[in-house]
Amino acid sequence: MFFAESGTSLLPQVRRTCALRADCEHGPRLCFHVKPGTYDTTSLIDVLERLKAFYAGESVVLVWDGHSAHWSRGMRALAAQQDWLTIERLLAYAPELNPVEMLWSAIKTCELANLGRDHLADVADPAERGSQRKHH
């Protein structure tokens, strides 16, 4: 048996909220990138260079969470030099405001559940299929 105590009140619990407003000509887009290992400032700068080439001449608003590599000194310096890129920061921990967190959660519990493989492509392909499933 599991047992836990919890209190409640008729007064509302005051919480901090955040709402982002974006005017998107083409609407939000999902970009999928997979690499071996973890992302750090160097690898994320590479991703931004790929995004710049992919969006060739378009303005991009990138919404990022509080991951340390997103806001490192090197990343902030690079981002400040990009006239095509605007970076908006989410609250330090607010997965409910980031649709990508919900997408990854859905993919991990479906396409990647119980999936053990030896090669990145063996995991990347199901993950990409999952992103397409949830995106449409």
Side-chain angles (χ1 to χ4, degrees):
M1 173 174 77
F2 295 93
F3 183 87
E5 299 83 18
S6 179
T8 188
S9 170
L10 296 177
L11 298 174
Q13 297 290 319
V14 177
R15 296 287 184 255
R16 183 172 57 167
T17 62
C18 177
L20 296 175
R21 193 187 122 226
D23 298 320
C24 301
E25 182 178 332
H26 302 289
R29 295 182 186 167
L30 174 66
C31 294
F32 190 79
H33 183 267
V34 176
K35 68 173 258 357
T38 59
Y39 284 93
D40 58 12
T41 299
T42 303
S43 59
L44 288 172
I45 287 173
D46 178 58
V47 171
L48 289 182
E49 290 170 358
R50 292 171 187 247
L51 279 175
K52 182 178 183 177
F54 181 79
Y55 286 107
E58 293 183 55
S59 294
V60 173
V61 176
L62 176 62
V63 180
W64 256 348
D65 62 20
H67 186 285
S68 61
H70 296 166
W71 305 103
S72 67
R73 188 173 299 146
M75 182 61 72
R76 288 192 320 262
L78 176 103
Q81 299 171 358
Q82 308 302 311
D83 61 350
W84 63 277
L85 181 65
T86 301
I87 299 179
E88 295 291 339
R89 186 175 192 164
L90 287 173
L91 298 173
Y93 182 72
E96 69 280 1
L97 297 177
N98 187 347
V100 175
E101 295 289 348
M102 291 178 266
L103 171 65
W104 271 118
S105 178
I107 291 171
K108 287 177 182 179
T109 58
C110 187
E111 282 80 9
L112 300 182
N114 303 315
L115 183 69
R117 298 291 189 261
D118 295 325
H119 304 285
L120 184 59
D122 296 336
V123 176
D125 292 343
E128 188 168 359
R129 280 194 303 275
S131 72
Q132 293 301 318
R133 172 182 60 84
K134 295 301 287 183
H135 189 63
H136 294 291

